[in-house]
Short mmCIF file of all heavy atoms in Angstrom, two decimals:
data_model
loop_
_atom_site.label_atom_id
_atom_site.label_comp_id
_atom_site.label_asym_id
_atom_site.label_seq_id
_atom_site.Cartn_x
_atom_site.Cartn_y
_atom_site.Cartn_z
N ALA M 304 -45.25 29.69 -22.31
CA ALA M 304 -44.24 28.70 -21.93
C ALA M 304 -42.86 29.33 -21.77
O ALA M 304 -42.56 30.36 -22.36
CB ALA M 304 -44.16 27.60 -22.99
N ARG M 305 -42.05 28.67 -20.95
CA ARG M 305 -40.63 29.02 -20.89
C ARG M 305 -39.92 28.08 -21.86
O ARG M 305 -39.99 26.86 -21.71
CB ARG M 305 -40.11 28.80 -19.47
CG ARG M 305 -38.65 29.25 -19.30
CD ARG M 305 -38.12 28.90 -17.93
NE ARG M 305 -38.04 27.46 -17.76
CZ ARG M 305 -38.26 26.81 -16.61
NH1 ARG M 305 -38.58 27.47 -15.53
NH2 ARG M 305 -38.17 25.49 -16.55
N ASP M 306 -39.29 28.65 -22.83
CA ASP M 306 -38.71 27.83 -23.90
C ASP M 306 -37.22 27.60 -23.69
O ASP M 306 -36.51 28.49 -23.22
CB ASP M 306 -38.91 28.50 -25.27
CG ASP M 306 -40.39 28.54 -25.65
OD1 ASP M 306 -41.19 27.89 -24.94
OD2 ASP M 306 -40.73 29.22 -26.63
N THR M 307 -36.78 26.42 -24.04
CA THR M 307 -35.35 26.10 -23.98
C THR M 307 -34.94 25.43 -25.28
O THR M 307 -35.57 24.45 -25.69
CB THR M 307 -35.05 25.14 -22.81
OG1 THR M 307 -35.68 25.63 -21.64
CG2 THR M 307 -33.55 25.03 -22.57
N LEU M 308 -33.93 25.96 -25.89
CA LEU M 308 -33.40 25.36 -27.10
C LEU M 308 -32.15 24.59 -26.70
O LEU M 308 -31.18 25.18 -26.22
CB LEU M 308 -33.06 26.48 -28.10
CG LEU M 308 -32.96 26.17 -29.58
CD1 LEU M 308 -34.12 25.34 -30.09
CD2 LEU M 308 -32.89 27.49 -30.35
N PHE M 309 -32.20 23.28 -26.84
CA PHE M 309 -31.08 22.46 -26.38
C PHE M 309 -30.00 22.35 -27.44
O PHE M 309 -28.82 22.34 -27.14
CB PHE M 309 -31.59 21.07 -25.98
CG PHE M 309 -32.49 21.13 -24.78
CD1 PHE M 309 -33.86 21.36 -24.92
CD2 PHE M 309 -31.97 21.02 -23.51
CE1 PHE M 309 -34.68 21.46 -23.81
CE2 PHE M 309 -32.79 21.10 -22.39
CZ PHE M 309 -34.15 21.33 -22.54
N VAL M 310 -30.46 22.24 -28.67
CA VAL M 310 -29.51 22.18 -29.78
C VAL M 310 -30.23 22.70 -31.02
O VAL M 310 -31.45 22.51 -31.15
CB VAL M 310 -28.98 20.73 -29.97
CG1 VAL M 310 -30.08 19.78 -30.41
CG2 VAL M 310 -27.83 20.68 -30.95
N ASP M 311 -29.52 23.39 -31.87
CA ASP M 311 -30.14 23.91 -33.09
C ASP M 311 -29.06 24.16 -34.14
O ASP M 311 -28.29 25.11 -34.04
CB ASP M 311 -30.90 25.21 -32.79
CG ASP M 311 -31.64 25.72 -34.02
OD1 ASP M 311 -31.69 25.00 -35.03
OD2 ASP M 311 -32.18 26.85 -33.94
N SER M 312 -29.04 23.29 -35.14
CA SER M 312 -28.02 23.45 -36.17
C SER M 312 -28.40 24.56 -37.16
O SER M 312 -27.59 24.93 -38.02
CB SER M 312 -27.83 22.13 -36.92
OG SER M 312 -29.07 21.71 -37.46
N GLY M 313 -29.63 25.07 -37.04
CA GLY M 313 -30.02 26.22 -37.86
C GLY M 313 -30.52 25.88 -39.25
O GLY M 313 -30.97 26.76 -39.98
N ASP M 314 -30.44 24.63 -39.63
CA ASP M 314 -30.79 24.28 -41.01
C ASP M 314 -31.92 23.25 -41.10
O ASP M 314 -32.11 22.63 -42.15
CB ASP M 314 -29.55 23.74 -41.73
CG ASP M 314 -29.03 22.45 -41.10
OD1 ASP M 314 -29.43 22.16 -39.94
OD2 ASP M 314 -28.25 21.74 -41.75
N VAL M 315 -32.65 23.02 -40.00
CA VAL M 315 -33.60 21.90 -40.05
C VAL M 315 -34.73 22.15 -41.05
O VAL M 315 -35.13 21.23 -41.77
CB VAL M 315 -34.17 21.52 -38.67
CG1 VAL M 315 -33.11 20.94 -37.76
CG2 VAL M 315 -34.87 22.67 -38.01
N GLU M 316 -35.25 23.39 -41.12
CA GLU M 316 -36.37 23.63 -42.04
C GLU M 316 -35.90 23.39 -43.49
O GLU M 316 -36.59 22.75 -44.28
CB GLU M 316 -36.91 25.06 -41.89
CG GLU M 316 -37.56 25.33 -40.53
CD GLU M 316 -38.76 24.42 -40.20
OE1 GLU M 316 -39.32 23.76 -41.11
OE2 GLU M 316 -39.11 24.33 -38.99
N LYS M 317 -34.73 23.88 -43.79
CA LYS M 317 -34.19 23.73 -45.15
C LYS M 317 -34.00 22.24 -45.48
O LYS M 317 -34.40 21.75 -46.53
CB LYS M 317 -32.84 24.47 -45.23
CG LYS M 317 -32.43 24.83 -46.65
CD LYS M 317 -31.16 25.65 -46.66
CE LYS M 317 -29.95 24.73 -46.75
NZ LYS M 317 -28.72 25.31 -46.25
N GLN M 318 -33.43 21.53 -44.54
CA GLN M 318 -33.16 20.10 -44.76
C GLN M 318 -34.46 19.30 -44.87
O GLN M 318 -34.55 18.36 -45.66
CB GLN M 318 -32.31 19.54 -43.63
CG GLN M 318 -30.89 20.05 -43.61
CD GLN M 318 -30.07 19.53 -44.78
OE1 GLN M 318 -30.39 18.50 -45.37
NE2 GLN M 318 -29.04 20.27 -45.15
N LEU M 319 -35.44 19.66 -44.05
CA LEU M 319 -36.73 18.95 -44.11
C LEU M 319 -37.37 19.17 -45.47
O LEU M 319 -37.90 18.25 -46.09
CB LEU M 319 -37.66 19.42 -42.99
CG LEU M 319 -37.36 18.84 -41.60
CD1 LEU M 319 -38.05 19.64 -40.50
CD2 LEU M 319 -37.77 17.36 -41.53
N ALA M 320 -37.30 20.41 -45.96
CA ALA M 320 -37.89 20.73 -47.26
C ALA M 320 -37.20 19.93 -48.37
O ALA M 320 -37.82 19.56 -49.36
CB ALA M 320 -37.79 22.23 -47.52
N ALA M 321 -35.92 19.67 -48.17
CA ALA M 321 -35.16 18.97 -49.21
C ALA M 321 -35.25 17.45 -49.10
O ALA M 321 -34.76 16.74 -49.97
CB ALA M 321 -33.70 19.40 -49.13
N SER M 322 -35.87 16.95 -48.03
CA SER M 322 -35.87 15.50 -47.82
C SER M 322 -36.90 14.80 -48.69
O SER M 322 -37.98 15.33 -48.94
CB SER M 322 -36.18 15.19 -46.36
OG SER M 322 -35.09 15.57 -45.56
N ARG M 323 -36.54 13.60 -49.13
CA ARG M 323 -37.44 12.80 -49.94
C ARG M 323 -38.68 12.39 -49.17
O ARG M 323 -39.80 12.45 -49.61
CB ARG M 323 -36.69 11.53 -50.35
CG ARG M 323 -36.55 11.35 -51.77
CD ARG M 323 -37.26 10.58 -52.72
NE ARG M 323 -37.17 9.15 -52.57
CZ ARG M 323 -36.30 8.40 -53.19
NH1 ARG M 323 -35.38 8.92 -53.96
NH2 ARG M 323 -36.36 7.10 -53.06
N GLN M 324 -38.42 11.95 -47.93
CA GLN M 324 -39.51 11.49 -47.07
C GLN M 324 -39.44 12.27 -45.77
O GLN M 324 -38.38 12.32 -45.16
CB GLN M 324 -39.30 10.03 -46.71
CG GLN M 324 -40.03 9.04 -47.55
CD GLN M 324 -40.01 7.67 -46.86
OE1 GLN M 324 -40.94 7.31 -46.17
NE2 GLN M 324 -38.94 6.93 -47.08
N VAL M 325 -40.56 12.84 -45.34
CA VAL M 325 -40.60 13.46 -44.02
C VAL M 325 -41.58 12.66 -43.16
O VAL M 325 -42.71 12.40 -43.57
CB VAL M 325 -41.00 14.94 -44.10
CG1 VAL M 325 -41.19 15.51 -42.69
CG2 VAL M 325 -39.96 15.73 -44.88
N VAL M 326 -41.09 12.23 -42.00
CA VAL M 326 -41.92 11.43 -41.09
C VAL M 326 -42.26 12.31 -39.90
O VAL M 326 -41.40 13.02 -39.38
CB VAL M 326 -41.15 10.18 -40.62
CG1 VAL M 326 -42.04 9.28 -39.77
CG2 VAL M 326 -40.58 9.42 -41.81
N ARG M 327 -43.52 12.26 -39.48
CA ARG M 327 -43.95 13.04 -38.30
C ARG M 327 -44.69 12.14 -37.34
O ARG M 327 -45.40 11.22 -37.78
CB ARG M 327 -44.97 14.12 -38.70
CG ARG M 327 -44.46 15.21 -39.55
CD ARG M 327 -45.67 15.95 -40.18
NE ARG M 327 -45.19 16.79 -41.25
CZ ARG M 327 -44.79 18.04 -41.07
NH1 ARG M 327 -44.87 18.60 -39.88
NH2 ARG M 327 -44.32 18.73 -42.07
N ALA M 328 -44.56 12.41 -36.06
CA ALA M 328 -45.37 11.69 -35.08
C ALA M 328 -45.50 12.54 -33.83
O ALA M 328 -44.62 13.35 -33.52
CB ALA M 328 -44.75 10.34 -34.74
#
Side-chain angles (χ1 to χ4, degrees):
Chain M
R305 184 186 66 214
D306 293 350
T307 312
L308 201 47
F309 294 87
V310 65
D311 184 8
S312 57
D314 63 343
V315 292
E316 294 301 343
K317 201 175 90 204
Q318 291 291 338
L319 282 164
S322 289
R323 240 261 295 266
Q324 263 194 96
V325 174
V326 185
R327 292 164 194 271

